[in-house]
Amino acid sequence: MGESVYTYQTAQEATEKRRLDELYVALREYLSSQVPFAHRYTTPPPKRILELGCGSGAWAIAASNDYPHAEVIAVDSSPTLEGIPLPKNLKFQLHNVSDPFPFEPASFDVVHARFLFIHVPNARDALTRAAALVKPGGWLLLEDINMQKIIDTGGPAISRVTGIWTGIVKDRGADACFGREMESTIRSTGAFSELHTKMVALPVCESSDVDNEFPAVMRLAAAFKLTILRLVDDWTTRFADKGITPGLGEKVHLEINSTTNDPPVLHELHFVWARRDA
């Protein structure tokens, strides 16, 4: 078996679980305030919900509490939720999404994946198979990243580190920019005529060019800034032999914490909500 495509610490580790939980809170606030159509999948209330790549379990646990009469299944390739008290209607299942799914086609009202497919080899195939799990009239909810934006807008150290990491992911068969491919992948299935998309470019660094009008956007930006700094620190221990050295990591911290980043360094997120044809 080759190296894992997931290059972060496992969500079983306390620092990674905390990072994922904090990011979940910021994303939930952002989605509640900025995306008015995101609630449509709750009518009628879903009876069966699947989350792929559940990580710390924050989204799946919240879904279980929001819909106590629904069956919620959380899937991850690592035993991230084993030994953790879970809501009675939530079941954890160990599974690698690169393998055939152990579920019947068209068997879930909601299928959700957050920041998953950038870690999955042949992501278009995996996403197409995931889309087939959605019932007619059900919803596919996706959030993922295009790391190319940071490479294009970052300073020398930020661009260098991000470029090295993107290459590591590519060598392991995945695409760190796959967020920008989600819409076309879903459209190519021909099964989702109702499809909503949103792209947001978040500032990674402080900048006078950044619009501070929306507090939820800025809190999400702050959560991603902290995430990027934590990941870079982790990469300096894991991938120093690939060029992400501690010295380069220190330079990333200086660039990200600088108040003179004009124009700003941007991090691009893509959101897709698609309803399968009845």
Side-chain angles (χ1 to χ4, degrees), residues 47 121 168 277:
K47 296 180 180 178
I168 292 169
D277 296 342

Side-chain angles (χ1 to χ4, degrees), residues 105-200:
S107 59
F108 291 93
D109 298 293
V110 175
V111 174
H112 174 256
R114 172 169 292 170
F115 310 144
L116 168 67
F117 288 104
I118 63 167
H119 306 291
V120 177
N122 195 7
R124 291 186 74 92
D125 174 70
L127 178 51
T128 299
R129 290 186 292 104
L133 298 175
V134 181
K135 290 180 179 179
W139 286 91
L140 178 64
L141 312 177
L142 305 169
E143 301 103 22
D144 227 314
I145 298 167
N146 172 20
M147 294 297 285
Q148 187 63 43
K149 194 70 170 182
I150 294 182
I151 297 174
D152 292 343
T153 62
I158 297 171
S159 296
R160 176 65 176 156
V161 166
T162 308
I164 293 172
W165 180 78
T166 298
I168 292 169
V169 170
K170 183 178 180 180
D171 289 344
R172 298 183 183 187
D175 180 2
C177 305
F178 187 73
R180 63 188 178 185
E181 305 294 331
M182 293 191 302
E183 178 182 358
S184 64
T185 302
I186 297 306
R187 290 193 186 280
S188 71
T189 69
F192 296 82
S193 58
E194 183 179 349
L195 192 149
H196 307 271
T197 65
K198 185 176 180 68
M199 186 278 287
V200 57

Side-chain angles (χ1 to χ4, degrees), residues 13-137:
E13 298 180 42
T15 55
E16 177 69 350
K17 184 180 186 304
R18 184 166 59 251
R19 177 184 78 83
L20 293 171
D21 286 347
E22 290 170 355
L23 194 55
Y24 164 78
V25 171
L27 274 162
R28 179 159 181 150
E29 180 183 358
Y30 169 78
L31 292 172
S32 297
S33 66
Q34 298 292 313
V35 190
F37 56 76
H39 71 280
R40 293 184 183 178
Y41 72 88
T42 64
T43 305
K47 296 180 180 178
R48 201 160 187 249
I49 300 171
L50 173 67
E51 183 178 32
L52 301 173
C54 66
S56 70
W59 190 94
I61 291 170
S64 300
N65 292 328
D66 290 343
Y67 306 105
H69 299 294
E71 175 190 11
V72 181
I73 299 176
V75 168
D76 203 280
S77 60
S78 297
T80 57
L81 301 189
E82 290 185 357
I84 298 174
L86 299 175
K88 292 182 179 180
N89 60 326
L90 173 58
K91 175 186 176 182
F92 174 74
Q93 190 159 337
L94 192 65
H95 182 74
N96 190 322
V97 299
S98 293
D99 299 329
F101 289 114
F103 310 114
E104 291 295 322
S107 59
F108 291 93
D109 298 293
V110 175
V111 174
H112 174 256
R114 172 169 292 170
F115 310 144
L116 168 67
F117 288 104
I118 63 167
H119 306 291
V120 177
N122 195 7
R124 291 186 74 92
D125 174 70
L127 178 51
T128 299
R129 290 186 292 104
L133 298 175
V134 181
K135 290 180 179 179

